Amino acid sequence: MRVSSVLCEVCFNTSQGFLVGYLIIGWLVSDIAPGAKQWDVQLENLGSFLYYIHAGTVIYGISISLIKLPILLQWLCGARSYTESAYL
């Protein structure tokens, strides 16, 4: 088994864990202001609302990076094997 395929599986499984965290953040936001836009949130709930939105954005960025890394690795390995076989 190649290192890149193991790394791809680890990244993908880790990103699924971050997805669960992202869903929990969404659930917490819906408890504060269900279906409300940012400007419709009451001032007493605004601090926690913005905190959860920021945390969700960070978790989303990490999970997307972990999803894109295996795609890049597969593309690079595929491109390398294609060029190697073209010269043989």
Side-chain angles (χ1 to χ4, degrees):
M1 191 173 231
R2 293 184 3 202
V3 174
S4 62
S5 64
V6 171
L7 184 62
C8 289
E9 293 208 17
V10 167
C11 287
F12 184 70
N13 292 334
T14 307
S15 70
Q16 287 179 340
F18 278 106
L19 175 65
V20 170
Y22 185 69
L23 293 174
I24 291 171
I25 295 285
W27 177 65
L28 291 171
V29 168
S30 70
D31 279 348
I32 295 172
K37 304 285 189 253
Q38 184 175 353
W39 52 85
D40 292 335
V41 177
Q42 295 177 356
L43 188 58
E44 62 188 33
N45 296 330
L46 186 63
S48 57
F49 180 79
L50 292 176
Y51 175 77
Y52 290 138
I53 294 294
H54 178 70
T57 304
V58 170
I59 289 174
Y60 178 78
I62 293 170
S63 74
I64 288 299
S65 298
L66 289 172
I67 290 172
K68 288 183 177 187
L69 181 64
I71 295 170
L72 177 65
L73 287 174
Q74 288 179 354
W75 181 76
L76 288 174
C77 291
R80 182 176 49 216
S81 65
Y82 175 75
T83 56
E84 288 173 357
S85 64
Y87 293 115
L88 295 178

